[in-house]
Amino acid sequence: MSIKPAPERKPGEGQGPFEKLLIQGATMIDGTGAPPRGPVNIVIEGNEIKDVSNGMANPPENAEVIDARGMYVMPGFVDTHAHIGGDAQGTPAEYVYKLWMAHGVTTVRDPGSGNGVDWTLNEKERSANNKIVAPRISAYIRPGMWDKGPVRTQEDARNFVRWADMKGADGFKLSSSDPHVLKALIDEANQRELGSAAHLEQTIVTRSDALDTARMGLGSLEHWYGLPEALFDDRLVQHYPVDYNYANEYDRFSQAGRLWKQAAALDSEKWHAVMNELLNLDFTFSPTLTIYEATRDVMRAREAEWHETYTLPSLWDFFQPDPENHGSFFFDWTTADEIAWKENYKLWMAFLNEYKNRGGRVTTGSDSGFIYKLYGFGYIRELELLQEAGFHPLEVIRSATMNGAELLSKENNIPMDFGVIRPNMLADLVLVEENPLHNFKTLYGTGTIKLNPETNKVERVGGVKYTIKDGIVYDAKKLLSDVEQIVKDAKA
């Protein structure tokens, strides 16, 4: 079943696009990794950036003006692993979209299109035409999402890709196909300039790990499954307990937390050999560090301050420990499990940071809607975790903007038209009143606390001020207010 599609955009939901819009006097973080500079003036005509200039020039004639003095402007954020809710979570599309947009996310890649191919493609078109309040959508679908059954042969694979291409899909999420089928899926997708992303399940990684699929031409690896296995140098198979059952999610995730310690040592010959080849293949990682964070501290994830106001009761119920729900495996989660996952993160983060340092592409994806992670809020937490991994805040913003846009343009062999602040790029922007490089917590919809030196009082500050998509200016706090009302109505 599919969730409820977004309603039509109402009058007053977003202002514009304008014949001319001037963002005046902001400090710009352009998404490339360049240092901030300002004040700058950004002139937007319709849905396109026309000019970026230094100083405080007078507004063009008949221009609408956003006085952005004291504010910071960034490209719109790109979430490269963003599920548009699901029937099991009970999350209508309006709720999900507005949480994303309220946190500056203007583009999402939906890996799997779990609400159905036609549903997702219809929402993609409505968003592209700005008929709904939503990020632009890149629709990746799973093999078998047609009326001809499972994809089990190379011929099936190629026919499925051709069918998906005609439907208008942007790419594919792969997970558990046999190697010869994976190879055909990826090859046909590449020939047709369609993307490919993989969550390589433990059921296939002994035959197709991250390096194997990168050699096949895979575009990006989601999470990290298959990467430690590519780094094995003293075994072929993960050290599974003899009573392990992959269908039991406690077994699956508790043992995954012990996997990176079984890989080749940091800075070893094997470690560098695998990294070098992945770099040469221009391979991309969408690590989704945020989605597994509860494994290293379940109480922190469960008690996040935004749940009470912004998490739907149905989604909260879905998060609770339950063997029947995906990602709800905390029914016997132990101190030892959390310790193992903390070590897992250290090794995983070390690989990602070195990969980035050597020119590899790392994007920002959240995979929210599972494991106590709420849409939008989970995305901002991913920024914090990339910084924990060793990324400079400017490198984090680069991953969240330019790198995500670059991946999507590369996958579909189309010009990159968003992701950096430059003339002739689409007017997808985020305006904030606090310096995000100083503290990413200021990007949460709930903001963060900060001492006001003038009053010597602690105040709550932050949250996105405006999210601009296609030149349409959205009041981010109004979007959050809409979400709060949706939750109130559901609770009532």
Side-chain angles (χ1 to χ4, degrees), residues 156-412:
D156 289 344
R158 294 187 185 278
N159 287 335
F160 175 73
V161 172
R162 292 167 190 143
W163 173 86
D165 190 15
M166 287 191 297
K167 292 287 285 186
D170 298 292
F172 304 90
K173 182 185 180 183
L174 312 174
S175 58
S176 58
S177 301
D178 286 334
H180 64 288
V181 177
L182 268 180
K183 188 172 183 179
L185 283 163
I186 294 168
D187 179 65
E188 190 68 31
N190 287 340
Q191 287 187 42
R192 293 176 173 272
E193 298 180 340
L194 299 174
S196 58
H199 169 164
L200 298 174
E201 295 183 1
Q202 300 308 106
T203 54
I204 68 163
V205 290
T206 56
R207 296 176 296 157
S208 300
D209 61 30
L211 189 53
D212 295 325
T213 52
R215 288 167 177 161
M216 293 176 191
L218 181 71
S220 69
L221 185 73
E222 310 303 293
H223 320 305
W224 50 262
Y225 305 108
L227 180 55
E229 291 85 354
L231 291 163
F232 283 169
D233 61 0
D234 63 354
R235 69 196 69 204
L236 294 175
V237 176
Q238 176 183 341
H239 181 73
Y240 295 109
V242 294
D243 59 349
Y244 178 98
N245 181 352
Y246 183 75
N248 179 327
E249 288 207 345
Y250 171 76
D251 284 357
R252 172 181 164 186
F253 287 101
S254 64
Q255 292 306 310
R258 292 157 170 84
L259 185 50
W260 272 91
K261 287 190 75 170
Q262 299 171 46
L266 182 71
D267 277 337
S268 66
E269 183 178 344
K270 175 78 171 185
W271 196 83
H272 283 292
V274 170
M275 181 175 291
N276 287 340
E277 188 167 356
L278 291 170
L279 287 165
N280 288 336
L281 290 166
D282 194 24
F283 197 57
T284 299
F285 288 104
S286 177
T288 70
L289 292 153
T290 181
I291 195 59
Y292 301 111
E293 190 178 17
T295 61
R296 64 180 194 171
D297 190 348
V298 65
M299 190 180 299
R300 182 193 192 283
R302 187 177 63 231
E303 302 302 321
E305 64 183 3
W306 41 80
H307 284 313
E308 177 62 28
T309 303
Y310 298 111
T311 300
L312 276 170
S314 58
L315 183 56
W316 184 249
D317 289 344
F318 179 80
F319 287 155
Q320 300 315 300
D322 185 344
E324 299 301 316
N325 290 341
H326 175 51
S328 303
F329 49 84
F330 297 101
F331 34 83
D332 190 20
W333 201 249
T334 68
T335 303
D337 291 328
E338 290 192 352
I339 292 169
W341 266 98
K342 286 173 183 175
E343 181 64 20
N344 220 39
Y345 265 76
K346 289 178 185 176
L347 298 170
W348 178 18
M349 286 175 163
F351 189 95
L352 290 172
N353 192 46
E354 180 67 14
Y355 195 75
K356 173 266 300 176
N357 287 345
R358 296 176 59 186
R361 187 183 302 105
V362 178
T363 66
T364 306
S366 67
D367 199 13
S368 296
F370 305 93
I371 319 182
Y372 296 109
K373 289 296 177 175
L374 184 57
Y375 312 96
F377 289 94
Y379 184 85
I380 302 305
R381 182 58 182 159
E382 183 74 0
L383 306 185
E384 292 192 280
L385 290 168
L386 287 173
Q387 185 174 0
E388 181 185 330
F391 288 45
H392 185 282
L394 286 168
E395 293 173 332
V396 174
I397 298 298
R398 177 182 163 115
S399 288
T401 57
M402 188 183 84
N403 284 6
E406 189 176 72
L407 169 65
L408 295 178
S409 70
K410 173 178 178 283
E411 289 275 78
N412 296 125

Side-chain angles (χ1 to χ4, degrees), residues 452-485:
N452 184 331
E454 295 181 3
T455 63
N456 204 36
K457 300 288 186 183
V458 171
E459 302 171 346
R460 185 164 285 270
V461 300
V464 172
K465 178 75 172 173
Y466 299 116
T467 297
I468 302 175
K469 179 218 169 190
D470 263 340
I472 300 171
V473 182
Y474 295 92
D475 181 331
K477 290 180 170 56
K478 175 62 171 63
L479 295 176
L480 275 179
S481 177
D482 293 347
V483 171
E484 183 177 359
Q485 189 60 52

